[in-house]
Amino acid sequence: DIDIRGHAGAIGLRFSGSQGSSLLDCTVLAEGAFAGFSDCPGQGGGTYNIETIGGRYGITLDAASRFPLLTGCRFVDQTVACVSYHTSTQVPTLLVGCQLAPASDTAIEMDRHGTYAGVNLVDCLVSTRAGGVVVKTKRPQNIHLENCFVRGAAHIASDGSRLPSREPLTRIERYSSSTPRGIHLIDGVTSTSTIERYDRVAEVTDFEILRARHYRPVPCIDAPDVVNVKQFGAKGDGETDDTDAFHKAIAAGDKVFIPRGTFLLSGELRLNADTHLFGLTSTHSNLGARLSRSERRNRQDVAFSIVTVDNPNAAPGLSHLAVNGDVDWRSGRGTMMLAGRFPRSVSGHGGGRFYGVRGIGRQNVMQGLRNPISLYAFNIERVGTNPQSLFRDCRHLRIFYFKVEAGTLNRGGDANTPSAVESCQDVRVHCMVGNVRKLEDRPMLSIVDSDDVVVSQLRAFQPSSFPHLIESRGSERNIIPSTKTCALFVRHMGGNHEKN
């Protein structure tokens, strides 16, 4: 935590780290200062549970902030705005389960420059001074709100229609506006008009409830019930097989700390329903030896695998460590937090929350899942199989920031559809952006015979002849070209068209 109170030009922390970087569990006391944070990491990492109290701004963002995802964050008592953009931006910002409560009439400031990539708010609580605005704008911008709760503000955007007067809160079921380049595709019908759907709220919504939907704290090293694998004979020297020590540690307690080192494992390591293995970071705490990309590609045998309990209520965890083996994920309520690559297999009752997981060079497939699964800062790139990631016959899927990359390798072989959603229901993808080239007629996102699907703010860095999105339903085919930003795609359950 950082205290910069009374220093008028101070910023608590400036951090725009790229892939795999993360920022979490940090408070800045900023009364009388400039800003709590400047920029934040995103792709393959993310920003979680940060807080600014006071200051002119809670966080400022500029072009250096790559794929900014903020989850479970809180910005309160800012004198100008909670979030402000000090340059134009290339990628949209996504805030999930956050609280914005300025001491001013503006929550988000987007009126300093001509163009911005956009901003998304999902499950957020926003409170401004009476008559304020959620997003201060000079011209139409890409703005999306989903299930947000607003108090005090009279408008979502400066140029938008007035919010209905509903005390104590207005629930923004769905709001989507765009620049002239953006387009909405709702049940096969395209439009450019702003979408506004509001509900009356009878009770005040608590921020902690919204945050708990998206952020689950991982164990701390100084908790009284934590056991250390070295207490049970683990060496972590990269030479000794530490499997037996891990079995003993898991039997002794649910919270198992993995200190700095390389801990070689063999065979199958089974986690109990509430076992949580956690380390320092994925750089310092290694399960299994690190392999180069060529070694991973050419290796046929797998030194070890981690298997979770096949139970919808089991809540195991893998956090802040590198798993250099296979993970067979079967539990319904578990957590993977900044633990490297996405599990090779999610099966049975598999579900839960996955933060900052990456899939580089290997196709990612999820099939037949029925328990809710949420992916935060999902990063898939340079996969030689089409599609690069596939979701088939799944239910209750959430992706909060999907960074993709395809068609970028000089040797070719990765000009594939970045992702396909087939025969799925209840799917949400908020912010899908990436470095995509040479896809020809393949889209960034393919949606096939799926219902209850919402996609907000999807676009490539460099528009070309390929489509941004293709929806196929039997003989029906709907296309959003890459010359248009996909501001919002919606396919309601059963394909029913609803006017907004």
PDB file of all heavy atoms in Angstrom, residues 142-170:
ATOM      1  N   ASN A 142     -17.353   4.682 -28.030  1.00  0.00           N
ATOM      2  CA  ASN A 142     -17.718   3.292 -27.787  1.00  0.00           C
ATOM      3  C   ASN A 142     -17.884   3.075 -26.279  1.00  0.00           C
ATOM      4  O   ASN A 142     -16.901   3.030 -25.537  1.00  0.00           O
ATOM      5  CB  ASN A 142     -16.633   2.352 -28.323  1.00  0.00           C
ATOM      6  CG  ASN A 142     -16.486   2.445 -29.824  1.00  0.00           C
ATOM      7  OD1 ASN A 142     -17.467   2.420 -30.551  1.00  0.00           O
ATOM      8  ND2 ASN A 142     -15.249   2.564 -30.294  1.00  0.00           N
ATOM      9  N   ILE A 143     -19.116   2.958 -25.840  1.00  0.00           N
ATOM     10  CA  ILE A 143     -19.423   2.808 -24.417  1.00  0.00           C
ATOM     11  C   ILE A 143     -20.384   1.640 -24.263  1.00  0.00           C
ATOM     12  O   ILE A 143     -21.407   1.575 -24.947  1.00  0.00           O
ATOM     13  CB  ILE A 143     -20.061   4.086 -23.840  1.00  0.00           C
ATOM     14  CG1 ILE A 143     -19.124   5.286 -24.023  1.00  0.00           C
ATOM     15  CG2 ILE A 143     -20.416   3.894 -22.365  1.00  0.00           C
ATOM     16  CD1 ILE A 143     -19.773   6.618 -23.698  1.00  0.00           C
ATOM     17  N   HIS A 144     -20.049   0.719 -23.366  1.00  0.00           N
ATOM     18  CA  HIS A 144     -20.931  -0.418 -23.108  1.00  0.00           C
ATOM     19  C   HIS A 144     -21.059  -0.639 -21.613  1.00  0.00           C
ATOM     20  O   HIS A 144     -20.056  -0.700 -20.901  1.00  0.00           O
ATOM     21  CB  HIS A 144     -20.393  -1.689 -23.759  1.00  0.00           C
ATOM     22  CG  HIS A 144     -21.262  -2.887 -23.514  1.00  0.00           C
ATOM     23  ND1 HIS A 144     -22.396  -3.127 -24.249  1.00  0.00           N
ATOM     24  CD2 HIS A 144     -21.174  -3.892 -22.605  1.00  0.00           C
ATOM     25  CE1 HIS A 144     -22.969  -4.236 -23.812  1.00  0.00           C
ATOM     26  NE2 HIS A 144     -22.254  -4.725 -22.808  1.00  0.00           N
ATOM     27  N   LEU A 145     -22.305  -0.747 -21.131  1.00  0.00           N
ATOM     28  CA  LEU A 145     -22.592  -1.093 -19.743  1.00  0.00           C
ATOM     29  C   LEU A 145     -23.505  -2.300 -19.712  1.00  0.00           C
ATOM     30  O   LEU A 145     -24.459  -2.376 -20.507  1.00  0.00           O
ATOM     31  CB  LEU A 145     -23.265   0.061 -18.994  1.00  0.00           C
ATOM     32  CG  LEU A 145     -22.377   1.204 -18.466  1.00  0.00           C
ATOM     33  CD1 LEU A 145     -21.899   2.090 -19.604  1.00  0.00           C
ATOM     34  CD2 LEU A 145     -23.130   2.028 -17.436  1.00  0.00           C
ATOM     35  N   GLU A 146     -23.222  -3.225 -18.807  1.00  0.00           N
ATOM     36  CA  GLU A 146     -24.023  -4.437 -18.667  1.00  0.00           C
ATOM     37  C   GLU A 146     -24.226  -4.698 -17.177  1.00  0.00           C
ATOM     38  O   GLU A 146     -23.259  -4.826 -16.412  1.00  0.00           O
ATOM     39  CB  GLU A 146     -23.298  -5.621 -19.313  1.00  0.00           C
ATOM     40  CG  GLU A 146     -24.124  -6.872 -19.423  1.00  0.00           C
ATOM     41  CD  GLU A 146     -24.714  -7.076 -20.813  1.00  0.00           C
ATOM     42  OE1 GLU A 146     -24.412  -6.271 -21.713  1.00  0.00           O
ATOM     43  OE2 GLU A 146     -25.466  -8.037 -20.986  1.00  0.00           O
ATOM     44  N   ASN A 147     -25.483  -4.727 -16.762  1.00  0.00           N
ATOM     45  CA  ASN A 147     -25.836  -4.983 -15.360  1.00  0.00           C
ATOM     46  C   ASN A 147     -25.058  -4.079 -14.413  1.00  0.00           C
ATOM     47  O   ASN A 147     -24.397  -4.536 -13.476  1.00  0.00           O
ATOM     48  CB  ASN A 147     -25.611  -6.449 -14.992  1.00  0.00           C
ATOM     49  CG  ASN A 147     -26.245  -6.791 -13.657  1.00  0.00           C
ATOM     50  OD1 ASN A 147     -27.403  -6.480 -13.408  1.00  0.00           O
ATOM     51  ND2 ASN A 147     -25.492  -7.424 -12.776  1.00  0.00           N
ATOM     52  N   CYS A 148     -25.155  -2.778 -14.624  1.00  0.00           N
ATOM     53  CA  CYS A 148     -24.499  -1.794 -13.754  1.00  0.00           C
ATOM     54  C   CYS A 148     -25.554  -1.021 -12.971  1.00  0.00           C
ATOM     55  O   CYS A 148     -26.701  -0.873 -13.409  1.00  0.00           O
ATOM     56  CB  CYS A 148     -23.642  -0.842 -14.586  1.00  0.00           C
ATOM     57  SG  CYS A 148     -22.167  -1.632 -15.285  1.00  0.00           S
ATOM     58  N   PHE A 149     -25.151  -0.482 -11.822  1.00  0.00           N
ATOM     59  CA  PHE A 149     -26.062   0.207 -10.919  1.00  0.00           C
ATOM     60  C   PHE A 149     -25.565   1.632 -10.724  1.00  0.00           C
ATOM     61  O   PHE A 149     -24.408   1.844 -10.335  1.00  0.00           O
ATOM     62  CB  PHE A 149     -26.157  -0.539  -9.595  1.00  0.00           C
ATOM     63  CG  PHE A 149     -26.642  -1.954  -9.758  1.00  0.00           C
ATOM     64  CD1 PHE A 149     -25.751  -2.985 -10.061  1.00  0.00           C
ATOM     65  CD2 PHE A 149     -27.987  -2.256  -9.645  1.00  0.00           C
ATOM     66  CE1 PHE A 149     -26.197  -4.287 -10.231  1.00  0.00           C
ATOM     67  CE2 PHE A 149     -28.439  -3.559  -9.813  1.00  0.00           C
ATOM     68  CZ  PHE A 149     -27.548  -4.570 -10.112  1.00  0.00           C
ATOM     69  N   VAL A 150     -26.432   2.604 -11.017  1.00  0.00           N
ATOM     70  CA  VAL A 150     -26.031   4.002 -11.072  1.00  0.00           C
ATOM     71  C   VAL A 150     -26.849   4.813 -10.084  1.00  0.00           C
ATOM     72  O   VAL A 150     -28.084   4.709 -10.049  1.00  0.00           O
ATOM     73  CB  VAL A 150     -26.189   4.552 -12.503  1.00  0.00           C
ATOM     74  CG1 VAL A 150     -25.889   6.047 -12.540  1.00  0.00           C
ATOM     75  CG2 VAL A 150     -25.272   3.803 -13.468  1.00  0.00           C
ATOM     76  N   ARG A 151     -26.149   5.654  -9.329  1.00  0.00           N
ATOM     77  CA  ARG A 151     -26.792   6.579  -8.402  1.00  0.00           C
ATOM     78  C   ARG A 151     -26.295   7.989  -8.680  1.00  0.00           C
ATOM     79  O   ARG A 151     -25.099   8.196  -8.861  1.00  0.00           O
ATOM     80  CB  ARG A 151     -26.481   6.191  -6.959  1.00  0.00           C
ATOM     81  CG  ARG A 151     -27.082   7.120  -5.909  1.00  0.00           C
ATOM     82  CD  ARG A 151     -26.508   6.867  -4.531  1.00  0.00           C
ATOM     83  NE  ARG A 151     -26.892   5.568  -4.005  1.00  0.00           N
ATOM     84  CZ  ARG A 151     -26.053   4.588  -3.761  1.00  0.00           C
ATOM     85  NH1 ARG A 151     -24.766   4.733  -4.045  1.00  0.00           N
ATOM     86  NH2 ARG A 151     -26.468   3.444  -3.268  1.00  0.00           N
ATOM     87  N   GLY A 152     -27.186   8.957  -8.724  1.00  0.00           N
ATOM     88  CA  GLY A 152     -26.801  10.362  -8.852  1.00  0.00           C
ATOM     89  C   GLY A 152     -26.706  10.854 -10.283  1.00  0.00           C
ATOM     90  O   GLY A 152     -27.181  11.941 -10.605  1.00  0.00           O
ATOM     91  N   ALA A 153     -26.103  10.079 -11.173  1.00  0.00           N
ATOM     92  CA  ALA A 153     -25.881  10.526 -12.550  1.00  0.00           C
ATOM     93  C   ALA A 153     -27.198  10.674 -13.299  1.00  0.00           C
ATOM     94  O   ALA A 153     -28.114   9.859 -13.150  1.00  0.00           O
ATOM     95  CB  ALA A 153     -24.980   9.545 -13.287  1.00  0.00           C
ATOM     96  N   ALA A 154     -27.270  11.714 -14.129  1.00  0.00           N
ATOM     97  CA  ALA A 154     -28.456  11.946 -14.956  1.00  0.00           C
ATOM     98  C   ALA A 154     -28.294  11.363 -16.356  1.00  0.00           C
ATOM     99  O   ALA A 154     -29.295  11.174 -17.054  1.00  0.00           O
ATOM    100  CB  ALA A 154     -28.730  13.442 -15.062  1.00  0.00           C
ATOM    101  N   HIS A 155     -27.058  11.077 -16.757  1.00  0.00           N
ATOM    102  CA  HIS A 155     -26.802  10.572 -18.099  1.00  0.00           C
ATOM    103  C   HIS A 155     -25.713   9.506 -18.033  1.00  0.00           C
ATOM    104  O   HIS A 155     -24.824   9.553 -17.173  1.00  0.00           O
ATOM    105  CB  HIS A 155     -26.328  11.688 -19.042  1.00  0.00           C
ATOM    106  CG  HIS A 155     -27.273  12.835 -19.148  1.00  0.00           C
ATOM    107  ND1 HIS A 155     -28.279  12.896 -20.087  1.00  0.00           N
ATOM    108  CD2 HIS A 155     -27.361  13.984 -18.425  1.00  0.00           C
ATOM    109  CE1 HIS A 155     -28.943  14.026 -19.940  1.00  0.00           C
ATOM    110  NE2 HIS A 155     -28.405  14.701 -18.949  1.00  0.00           N
ATOM    111  N   ILE A 156     -25.750   8.562 -18.969  1.00  0.00           N
ATOM    112  CA  ILE A 156     -24.629   7.645 -19.150  1.00  0.00           C
ATOM    113  C   ILE A 156     -23.499   8.383 -19.850  1.00  0.00           C
ATOM    114  O   ILE A 156     -22.366   8.396 -19.381  1.00  0.00           O
ATOM    115  CB  ILE A 156     -25.034   6.401 -19.964  1.00  0.00           C
ATOM    116  CG1 ILE A 156     -26.137   5.626 -19.240  1.00  0.00           C
ATOM    117  CG2 ILE A 156     -23.817   5.501 -20.190  1.00  0.00           C
ATOM    118  CD1 ILE A 156     -25.731   5.078 -17.891  1.00  0.00           C
ATOM    119  N   ALA A 157     -23.769   8.986 -20.998  1.00  0.00           N
ATOM    120  CA  ALA A 157     -22.799   9.789 -21.736  1.00  0.00           C
ATOM    121  C   ALA A 157     -23.307  11.222 -21.811  1.00  0.00           C
ATOM    122  O   ALA A 157     -24.519  11.474 -21.739  1.00  0.00           O
ATOM    123  CB  ALA A 157     -22.591   9.231 -23.137  1.00  0.00           C
ATOM    124  N   SER A 158     -22.389  12.169 -21.994  1.00  0.00           N
ATOM    125  CA  SER A 158     -22.770  13.587 -21.975  1.00  0.00           C
ATOM    126  C   SER A 158     -23.816  13.928 -23.017  1.00  0.00           C
ATOM    127  O   SER A 158     -24.698  14.755 -22.780  1.00  0.00           O
ATOM    128  CB  SER A 158     -21.524  14.460 -22.185  1.00  0.00           C
ATOM    129  OG  SER A 158     -20.580  14.230 -21.167  1.00  0.00           O
ATOM    130  N   ASP A 159     -23.731  13.277 -24.190  1.00  0.00           N
ATOM    131  CA  ASP A 159     -24.659  13.579 -25.275  1.00  0.00           C
ATOM    132  C   ASP A 159     -25.832  12.602 -25.323  1.00  0.00           C
ATOM    133  O   ASP A 159     -26.608  12.593 -26.271  1.00  0.00           O
ATOM    134  CB  ASP A 159     -23.931  13.566 -26.616  1.00  0.00           C
ATOM    135  CG  ASP A 159     -23.246  12.226 -26.899  1.00  0.00           C
ATOM    136  OD1 ASP A 159     -23.204  11.379 -25.982  1.00  0.00           O
ATOM    137  OD2 ASP A 159     -22.753  12.037 -28.021  1.00  0.00           O
ATOM    138  N   GLY A 160     -25.973  11.774 -24.289  1.00  0.00           N
ATOM    139  CA  GLY A 160     -27.019  10.759 -24.297  1.00  0.00           C
ATOM    140  C   GLY A 160     -28.313  11.233 -23.672  1.00  0.00           C
ATOM    141  O   GLY A 160     -28.396  12.328 -23.088  1.00  0.00           O
ATOM    142  N   SER A 161     -29.335  10.400 -23.780  1.00  0.00           N
ATOM    143  CA  SER A 161     -30.631  10.731 -23.211  1.00  0.00           C
ATOM    144  C   SER A 161     -30.568  10.693 -21.689  1.00  0.00           C
ATOM    145  O   SER A 161     -29.666  10.093 -21.097  1.00  0.00           O
ATOM    146  CB  SER A 161     -31.699   9.757 -23.719  1.00  0.00           C
ATOM    147  OG  SER A 161     -31.365   8.432 -23.359  1.00  0.00           O
ATOM    148  N   ARG A 162     -31.536  11.323 -21.057  1.00  0.00           N
ATOM    149  CA  ARG A 162     -31.552  11.411 -19.605  1.00  0.00           C
ATOM    150  C   ARG A 162     -31.994  10.078 -18.998  1.00  0.00           C
ATOM    151  O   ARG A 162     -32.924   9.429 -19.490  1.00  0.00           O
ATOM    152  CB  ARG A 162     -32.500  12.525 -19.151  1.00  0.00           C
ATOM    153  CG  ARG A 162     -32.412  12.844 -17.668  1.00  0.00           C
ATOM    154  CD  ARG A 162     -33.257  14.053 -17.307  1.00  0.00           C
ATOM    155  NE  ARG A 162     -33.109  14.383 -15.899  1.00  0.00           N
ATOM    156  CZ  ARG A 162     -32.141  15.140 -15.396  1.00  0.00           C
ATOM    157  NH1 ARG A 162     -31.230  15.659 -16.208  1.00  0.00           N
ATOM    158  NH2 ARG A 162     -32.086  15.393 -14.108  1.00  0.00           N
ATOM    159  N   LEU A 163     -31.319   9.680 -17.927  1.00  0.00           N
ATOM    160  CA  LEU A 163     -31.701   8.454 -17.242  1.00  0.00           C
ATOM    161  C   LEU A 163     -33.039   8.633 -16.532  1.00  0.00           C
ATOM    162  O   LEU A 163     -33.349   9.727 -16.049  1.00  0.00           O
ATOM    163  CB  LEU A 163     -30.640   8.074 -16.203  1.00  0.00           C
ATOM    164  CG  LEU A 163     -29.318   7.512 -16.731  1.00  0.00           C
ATOM    165  CD1 LEU A 163     -28.298   7.398 -15.609  1.00  0.00           C
ATOM    166  CD2 LEU A 163     -29.537   6.160 -17.379  1.00  0.00           C
ATOM    167  N   PRO A 164     -33.835   7.579 -16.453  1.00  0.00           N
ATOM    168  CA  PRO A 164     -35.087   7.678 -15.708  1.00  0.00           C
ATOM    169  C   PRO A 164     -34.803   7.925 -14.231  1.00  0.00           C
ATOM    170  O   PRO A 164     -33.808   7.448 -13.691  1.00  0.00           O
ATOM    171  CB  PRO A 164     -35.741   6.308 -15.931  1.00  0.00           C
ATOM    172  CG  PRO A 164     -34.621   5.397 -16.271  1.00  0.00           C
ATOM    173  CD  PRO A 164     -33.631   6.229 -17.016  1.00  0.00           C
ATOM    174  N   SER A 165     -35.657   8.686 -13.597  1.00  0.00           N
ATOM    175  CA  SER A 165     -35.489   9.001 -12.181  1.00  0.00           C
ATOM    176  C   SER A 165     -36.045   7.855 -11.352  1.00  0.00           C
ATOM    177  O   SER A 165     -37.264   7.733 -11.172  1.00  0.00           O
ATOM    178  CB  SER A 165     -36.207  10.309 -11.829  1.00  0.00           C
ATOM    179  OG  SER A 165     -36.076  10.584 -10.460  1.00  0.00           O
ATOM    180  N   ARG A 166     -35.163   7.011 -10.873  1.00  0.00           N
ATOM    181  CA  ARG A 166     -35.572   5.860 -10.077  1.00  0.00           C
ATOM    182  C   ARG A 166     -34.672   5.764  -8.858  1.00  0.00           C
ATOM    183  O   ARG A 166     -33.464   5.587  -8.989  1.00  0.00           O
ATOM    184  CB  ARG A 166     -35.494   4.569 -10.903  1.00  0.00           C
ATOM    185  CG  ARG A 166     -36.546   4.526 -12.014  1.00  0.00           C
ATOM    186  CD  ARG A 166     -36.270   3.381 -12.959  1.00  0.00           C
ATOM    187  NE  ARG A 166     -37.326   3.288 -13.982  1.00  0.00           N
ATOM    188  CZ  ARG A 166     -37.226   2.562 -15.080  1.00  0.00           C
ATOM    189  NH1 ARG A 166     -36.129   1.873 -15.305  1.00  0.00           N
ATOM    190  NH2 ARG A 166     -38.208   2.514 -15.955  1.00  0.00           N
ATOM    191  N   GLU A 167     -35.251   5.925  -7.705  1.00  0.00           N
ATOM    192  CA  GLU A 167     -34.459   5.899  -6.485  1.00  0.00           C
ATOM    193  C   GLU A 167     -34.541   4.519  -5.838  1.00  0.00           C
ATOM    194  O   GLU A 167     -35.580   3.859  -5.925  1.00  0.00           O
ATOM    195  CB  GLU A 167     -34.981   6.977  -5.524  1.00  0.00           C
ATOM    196  CG  GLU A 167     -34.762   8.394  -6.024  1.00  0.00           C
ATOM    197  CD  GLU A 167     -33.291   8.742  -6.131  1.00  0.00           C
ATOM    198  OE1 GLU A 167     -32.480   8.113  -5.425  1.00  0.00           O
ATOM    199  OE2 GLU A 167     -32.950   9.622  -6.923  1.00  0.00           O
ATOM    200  N   PRO A 168     -33.495   4.101  -5.114  1.00  0.00           N
ATOM    201  CA  PRO A 168     -32.245   4.840  -4.955  1.00  0.00           C
ATOM    202  C   PRO A 168     -31.243   4.601  -6.077  1.00  0.00           C
ATOM    203  O   PRO A 168     -30.270   5.313  -6.206  1.00  0.00           O
ATOM    204  CB  PRO A 168     -31.701   4.266  -3.639  1.00  0.00           C
ATOM    205  CG  PRO A 168     -32.185   2.848  -3.640  1.00  0.00           C
ATOM    206  CD  PRO A 168     -33.549   2.883  -4.281  1.00  0.00           C
ATOM    207  N   LEU A 169     -31.483   3.579  -6.928  1.00  0.00           N
ATOM    208  CA  LEU A 169     -30.548   3.245  -7.989  1.00  0.00           C
ATOM    209  C   LEU A 169     -31.277   2.985  -9.292  1.00  0.00           C
ATOM    210  O   LEU A 169     -32.428   2.553  -9.298  1.00  0.00           O
ATOM    211  CB  LEU A 169     -29.739   1.984  -7.638  1.00  0.00           C
ATOM    212  CG  LEU A 169     -28.732   2.026  -6.492  1.00  0.00           C
ATOM    213  CD1 LEU A 169     -28.218   0.633  -6.215  1.00  0.00           C
ATOM    214  CD2 LEU A 169     -27.584   2.947  -6.819  1.00  0.00           C
ATOM    215  N   THR A 170     -30.573   3.240 -10.384  1.00  0.00           N
ATOM    216  CA  THR A 170     -31.033   2.797 -11.697  1.00  0.00           C
ATOM    217  C   THR A 170     -30.144   1.637 -12.139  1.00  0.00           C
ATOM    218  O   THR A 170     -28.918   1.752 -12.115  1.00  0.00           O
ATOM    219  CB  THR A 170     -30.941   3.925 -12.735  1.00  0.00           C
ATOM    220  OG1 THR A 170     -31.758   5.012 -12.324  1.00  0.00           O
ATOM    221  CG2 THR A 170     -31.395   3.432 -14.103  1.00  0.00           C
TER     222      THR A 170
END
